[in-house]
Amino acid sequence: MTFFLDQHGCAKNQVDGELMIAHLAKLGYTQVFDALKADLIIVNSCGFIESAKTESLNAVLSARKQYPHAKILLAGCLAERYAEDLGENLPEADGIFGNGDLAELYRVVEPLMQGKRVVLKPAQKGVCGGERNLLLSFAGAAYVKITEGCNNRCAFCAIPIIRGELRSRPASEIISEIKTLISQGVYEINLIGQDLAAYGTGREDNVFGTGRTLLPAGTPGSVGLSADSTSAESSESGLATLLKQISALEGTFRLRLLYIHPDHFNADILPVIKADSRFLPYFDIPFQSGDDGIIRAMHRTGNAKAYRAVIEKIRAVFPEAAIRTTFLAGFPGESEEAAAHSMDFLCAITPDWSGCFPYSKEDDTPAAKLKNQVPKKVKEARASALVEKQAEITRERLAKRCGKEYDVLVEEVLAESSENPDDGLAIGRAWFQAPEVDGSVVIRYDRSDKAACEAVRTGRLVRVHVDSSGDVDLNGNYTGDSPLNASIAKSSLVFAEDIAHAE
């Protein structure tokens, strides 16, 4: 039996997709990269905002129409969030599978392939992990999930509804997975979770075998360092302890942290990152708003001043730190003045990257019940204004990268130029560019140079001298093979991008 995975959503959902691939392989299924050849099509859906939900539903409808021979399984966040409703009202899907315990996948697939319709929503317990024999990312990089669910309960967010309360993976399990990935030739490790700052603080967490970890001070019901505190009044955060254990690993790799909630940013991770050159000074902190009233209405405890202090603290330690954030435009009750405060905040912190989304009214969230909902056109206009300002900031910050040389992880080697076959082009990422969401480095090299052709391959590092920048990307010339390649393990993992291109 064959299966095709139609992957949607965030990096956390991507890891779930990779785990499902491994579970299906154990059941004897073979993955194909052409849906026409599949007996089973899995739509691993997103259910976070309205546009993502629509995209996932359309994927099911399209698959049913285009591939009538195949069984269609709707999995992922949308399936988890609306399992009962979709089980009754989406006949185009032959089965519905939530994302609580992915090891339960066999309980849906086996009867589904026998013509039975199954709707299964396993309990949200623990953090799904295990062997991944194929990664959906570009060669050389992998995501490692360290938490699941969330306890922050932001008023606009459906994640606690979809994935439940916060749970953290044991540190030993995380360390083991990272160690294995490094031994398999993965160079870039990206730690993910809804809020890495909360690692080890779940109600039932005991990640180090010493009991529950406490959140930083300033977080309701906890003790520790606040975002703008310089005193050592408490124990070390769980995230800092985990990073120290990762730092003890041998090998050549780079580590990036993604998604840290600003209300309890772990200030104690800064010296840990500073002490290990393999840890990237890249900080993804979703502020969402720069207006104190809206921040409170979002059920957050910080304010614009404290959030600016977080960025100032980071840049005091890492002047060239890469900062990414997110804004939510048009939250209920957002006035023109409040929107202007977010614009002022963006201009004050000058992040390298930011995403901005119009507020989406999500079922069962506190914000959905608020009055003073902002009209759609107003939300979209405010989001566009923030996007335009960020584009200006990004251009300025990228221009400062010009004239420097970086190790770039090659993600894709493009076909030769139609004008000159000797002009080679490749796409890669430097340390300040996270996968999927940030810009790229366009690498120029001479295809008549045998050494260059040998070096510029997916999953390898090359030295690139950046000579120009654009709106989101940098351009540069290949100057040589990175010396780091000599100490990176030979890749033994399979990457979906490589298979898809080969086919």
Side-chain angles (χ1 to χ4, degrees):
M1 303 294 286
T2 58
F3 74 94
F4 174 86
L5 180 68
D6 183 12
Q7 179 66 38
H8 297 261
C10 65
K12 298 180 288 295
N13 211 40
Q14 177 178 312
V15 171
D16 289 350
E18 293 164 350
L19 290 169
M20 285 194 284
I21 290 170
H23 287 306
L24 286 168
K26 290 177 182 177
L27 293 175
Y29 282 74
T30 299
Q31 186 176 11
V32 295
F33 294 86
D34 181 352
L36 279 171
K37 301 176 182 178
D39 300 304
L40 170 66
I41 295 175
I42 301 175
V43 177
N44 192 25
S45 63
C46 179
F48 186 51
I49 58 177
E50 192 61 37
S51 59
K53 289 186 285 187
T54 299
E55 177 184 294
S56 295
L57 282 173
N58 286 340
V60 173
L61 300 178
S62 177
R64 178 77 290 151
K65 183 176 180 180
Q66 294 183 55
Y67 313 108
H69 66 283
K71 296 294 185 182
I72 311 295
L73 175 63
L74 176 63
C77 288
L78 187 67
E80 174 72 21
R81 188 174 181 184
Y82 300 108
E84 294 78 12
D85 288 344
L86 294 173
E88 294 180 4
N89 301 310
L90 190 66
E92 291 83 359
D94 298 298
I96 308 291
F97 180 58
N99 55 20
D101 184 355
L102 300 177
E104 299 280 284
L105 181 59
Y106 74 95
R107 292 180 54 198
V108 174
V109 170
E110 292 181 350
L112 183 150
M113 300 309 292
Q114 296 172 7
K116 300 176 183 178
R117 195 165 197 273
V118 181
V119 176
L120 181 62
K121 188 177 173 181
Q124 291 283 350
K125 296 179 67 175
V127 182
C128 294
E131 179 185 357
R132 291 180 281 164
N133 49 13
L134 181 141
L135 298 183
L136 299 173
S137 49
F138 285 99
Y143 294 109
V144 173
K145 190 187 295 189
I146 70 171
T147 68
E148 187 61 276
C150 189
N151 288 348
N152 289 314
R153 303 285 173 178
C154 297
F156 55 85
C157 184
I159 292 298
I161 300 169
I162 300 171
R163 292 187 178 260
E165 66 177 37
L166 174 73
R167 296 96 67 195
S168 305
R169 290 177 75 187
S172 59
E173 188 177 315
I174 297 168
I175 298 298
S176 177
E177 180 173 350
I178 293 175
K179 187 175 181 179
T180 298
L181 288 168
I182 294 170
S183 71
Q184 293 173 323
V186 171
Y187 171 66
E188 180 177 287
I189 306 293
N190 295 284
L191 297 187
I192 57 171
Q194 193 62 30
D195 176 17
L196 299 190
Y199 177 73
T201 67
R203 183 166 50 90
E204 298 181 1
D205 284 353
N206 186 13
V207 294
F208 304 112
T210 56
R212 183 174 179 271
T213 302
L214 298 176
L215 277 174
T219 305
S222 62
V223 298
L225 291 176
S226 64
D228 55 357
S229 171
T230 56
S231 66
E233 59 186 330
S234 73
S235 60
E236 186 175 72
S237 72
L239 182 59
T241 303
L242 175 65
L243 291 182
K244 286 183 177 180
Q245 293 189 8
I246 296 173
S247 184
L249 290 174
E250 297 180 352
T252 300
F253 63 93
R254 69 185 183 196
L255 184 91
R256 179 184 288 104
L257 306 180
L258 297 175
Y259 324 130
I260 298 179
H261 194 290
D263 282 351
H264 38 83
F265 177 81
N266 315 77
D268 58 354
I269 68 174
L270 298 179
V272 182
I273 295 173
K274 183 78 171 178
D276 193 328
S277 61
R278 299 172 302 180
F279 291 1
L280 303 179
Y282 181 105
F283 301 90
D284 186 344
I285 309 172
F287 291 113
Q288 306 299 356
S289 175
D291 178 80
D292 290 352
I294 294 299
I295 293 170
R296 287 192 297 272
M298 288 178 169
H299 292 179
R300 294 184 160 205
T301 59
N303 56 61
K305 181 180 179 180
Y307 290 170
R308 286 196 299 270
V310 170
I311 300 301
E312 291 167 2
K313 181 182 287 279
I314 290 171
R315 286 181 171 150
V317 179
F318 302 104
E320 290 195 6
I323 307 293
R324 164 168 275 281
T325 189
T326 308
F327 290 93
L328 197 62
F331 185 84
E334 184 185 65
S335 63
E336 289 293 338
E337 182 181 17
H341 288 161
S342 286
M343 180 63 77
D344 292 342
F345 178 79
L346 172 62
C347 294
I349 66 170
T350 59
D352 296 77
W353 318 98
S354 73
C356 185
F357 306 93
Y359 166 75
S360 175
K361 187 176 181 180
E362 295 301 312
D363 298 336
D364 302 320
T365 60
K369 303 173 185 177
L370 293 177
K371 298 179 180 179
N372 300 320
Q373 295 284 329
V374 179
K376 181 180 179 180
K377 287 186 177 181
V378 175
K379 290 188 292 187
E380 292 176 345
R382 291 175 182 173
S384 295
L386 288 168
V387 167
E388 289 178 9
K389 175 53 68 173
Q390 179 60 56
E392 178 184 320
I393 294 170
T394 296
R395 284 193 295 271
E396 293 175 356
R397 294 191 68 82
L398 286 177
K400 295 178 181 178
R401 306 281 185 188
C402 294
K404 299 179 181 179
E405 195 167 279
Y406 298 99
D407 278 321
V408 176
L409 179 62
V410 180
E411 292 190 327
E412 188 174 7
V413 179
L414 306 177
E416 68 272 12
S417 168
S418 58
E419 298 180 0
N420 186 349
D422 288 340
D423 291 342
L425 290 177
I427 304 294
R429 288 184 297 105
W431 69 264
F432 46 84
Q433 297 164 319
E436 306 294 340
V437 293
D438 298 336
S440 300
V441 178
V442 179
I443 308 161
R444 298 185 298 266
Y445 67 101
D446 184 355
R447 285 176 56 86
S448 66
D449 183 339
K450 184 177 179 180
C453 290
E454 177 63 23
V456 182
R457 291 183 285 121
T458 59
R460 288 179 61 85
L461 293 167
V462 294
R463 295 294 290 175
V464 177
H465 181 270
V466 174
D467 57 22
S468 64
S469 61
D471 291 342
V472 293
D473 296 329
L474 294 170
N475 306 290
N477 292 309
Y478 162 81
T479 61
D481 194 19
S482 171
L484 292 175
N485 285 317
S487 55
I488 297 175
K490 185 176 180 181
S491 179
S492 60
L493 272 172
V494 179
F495 291 87
E497 284 286 343
D498 289 341
I499 295 177
H501 287 158
E503 291 192 347

